[in-house]
């Protein structure tokens, strides 16, 4: 039986390019003319990658006939390919569509060789127990790697977005403004503390205007985080002026019973700049 397994593996390797072409033809059958023109630039490269993947199954049958372990190769392939395709922007659904086609055309070759050589049922079962689990292993490893890479990309994008959402902008050597826009959740509040302290210290400012006219909702959590930032800045010798508080937010802060003694609130950025100018800070 080992000789038969090796024979099937060799046939798959010999016909890997033909199998790859069949997979590619069916896979690209529904592409629009524009999509076909775009993918034509990479068609040869994709075809060669398909053929290399198909040869892994041929090699696995040859190695299995010698009692060698082969699943690790498919795990490594799945991990590397899943990450790469995620980075390239290929959707997971689209990538997994190839799975059934590989199975379909590889088994066409196997079926033909089984019938042609009148191989025993035991050999067929041995091929099934080798090929199918390896494809499943590759798909599983691929999916895990793709999801991990996608999650990492989302987290990095979120972090980059949050960092951009805390822009401490210097107006003069001693004064900067931090305009806040949008909702402030727990993650952004934590970054607000870290980025504001670091940027304010690096700029060497003495006053920070914290404009919250773009913050739609100020609840207890948001207010407390803003006050924490203010207290931390005080320790660095930086005075904070709040601007842009709308009437409804002011009323909410009063209703919440928030402690605002010692804090400076002004209606607009213009009023803050006027006050600092009178104090000869600007």
């Amino acid at each position: 039986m080992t000789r038969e397994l090796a024979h099937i593996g060799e046939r798959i390797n010999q016909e890997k390019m033909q199998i790859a072409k069949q997979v590619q033809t069916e896979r690209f059958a529904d592409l629009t003319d524009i999509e076909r023109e775009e993918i034509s630039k990479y068609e040869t490269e994709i075809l060669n990658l398909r053929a290399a993947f198909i040869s892994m199954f041929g090699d696995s049958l040859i190695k299995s006939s010698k009692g060698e372990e082969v699943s690790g190769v498919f795990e490594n392939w799945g991990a590397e390919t899943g990450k790469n395709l995620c980075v390239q922007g290929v959707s997971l659904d689209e990538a997994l569509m190839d799975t059934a086609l590989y199975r379909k055309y590889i088994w066409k070759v196997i079926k033909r060789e089984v019938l042609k050589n009148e191989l025993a049922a035991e050999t067929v079962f041995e091929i099934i127990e080798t090929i199918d689990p390896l494809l499943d292993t590759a798909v599983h490893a691929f999916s895990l790697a793709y999801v991990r890479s996608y999650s990492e990309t989302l987290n990095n994008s979120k972090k980059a977005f949050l960092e951009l959402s805390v822009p401490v902008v210097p107006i003069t050597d001693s004064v900067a403004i931090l305009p806040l826009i949008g909702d402030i959740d727990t993650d952004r509040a934590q970054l607000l503390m870290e980025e504001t302290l670091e940027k304010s210290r690096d700029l060497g400012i003495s006053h920070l205007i914290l404009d919250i006219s773009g913050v739609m909702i100020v609840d207890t959590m948001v207010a407390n985080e803003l006050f924490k930032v203010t207290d931390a800045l005080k320790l660095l010798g930086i005075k904070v002026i709040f601007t842009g508080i709308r009437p409804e937010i002011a009323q909410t802060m009063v209703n919440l019973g928030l402690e605002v003694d010692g804090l400076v609130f002004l209606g607009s950025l213009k009023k803050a700049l006027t006050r600092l100018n009178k104090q000869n800070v600007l």
Side-chain angles (χ1 to χ4, degrees), residues 36-257:
R36 191 177 300 279
E37 182 178 355
E38 178 64 26
I39 209 166
S40 64
K41 305 172 186 176
Y42 315 102
E43 194 164 356
T44 300
E45 180 182 354
I46 296 172
L47 188 64
N48 289 332
L49 290 173
R50 293 188 191 281
F53 180 56
I54 292 165
S55 71
M56 289 169 56
F57 291 94
D59 292 341
S60 71
L61 288 175
I62 296 172
K63 291 179 179 179
S64 293
S65 69
K66 301 175 183 177
E68 297 180 23
E69 174 60 38
V70 294
S71 61
V73 176
F74 286 83
E75 291 176 356
N76 293 336
W77 177 91
E80 181 179 352
T81 306
K83 181 178 180 180
N84 289 340
L85 290 185
C86 179
V87 171
Q88 293 171 20
V90 179
S91 71
L92 181 57
D93 287 346
E94 184 179 354
L96 291 179
M97 286 176 66
D98 288 357
T99 304
L101 298 179
Y102 283 120
R103 199 186 303 268
K104 172 182 176 180
Y105 287 107
I106 287 175
W107 270 102
K108 278 192 173 184
V109 173
I110 294 173
K111 179 180 179 180
R112 187 188 65 219
E113 291 301 312
V114 166
L115 295 175
K116 178 180 177 181
N117 295 282
E118 298 182 344
L119 299 182
E122 184 180 0
T123 301
V124 176
F125 287 130
E126 183 68 21
I127 295 171
I128 293 173
E129 291 171 0
T130 301
I131 294 288
D132 285 354
L134 291 177
L135 183 56
D136 293 338
T137 296
V139 170
H140 182 254
F142 174 92
S143 301
L144 285 179
Y146 187 101
V147 170
R148 287 179 185 140
S149 181
Y150 187 75
S151 177
E152 182 179 340
T153 300
L154 283 180
N155 289 334
N156 290 339
S157 298
K158 181 179 180 180
K159 183 178 179 181
F161 171 77
L162 288 175
E163 289 174 353
L164 291 173
S165 71
V166 188
V168 178
V169 183
I171 298 176
T172 67
D173 291 340
S174 57
V175 179
I177 180 173
L178 170 56
L180 293 178
I181 300 174
D183 296 332
I184 299 178
D185 57 15
T186 304
D187 289 339
R188 191 180 181 195
Q190 177 63 34
L191 193 67
L192 175 64
M193 172 71 79
E194 296 171 358
E195 291 291 312
T196 303
L197 294 180
E198 182 178 348
K199 291 177 181 178
S200 297
R201 181 196 61 202
D202 292 344
L203 289 171
I205 60 175
S206 61
H207 290 74
L208 177 68
I209 301 172
L210 209 164
D211 185 83
I212 59 174
S213 58
V215 179
M216 296 296 101
I217 299 175
V218 174
D219 56 17
T220 304
M221 188 279 289
V222 172
N224 285 335
E225 291 299 331
L226 293 176
F227 295 164
K228 284 180 183 178
V229 172
T230 301
D231 291 339
L233 287 170
K234 285 181 181 178
L235 296 177
L236 296 179
I238 300 172
K239 298 178 181 179
V240 178
I241 298 176
F242 286 92
T243 64
I245 294 183
R246 300 187 303 281
E248 62 270 21
I249 290 181
Q251 184 176 358
T252 298
M253 295 175 71
V254 171
N255 292 338
L256 290 173

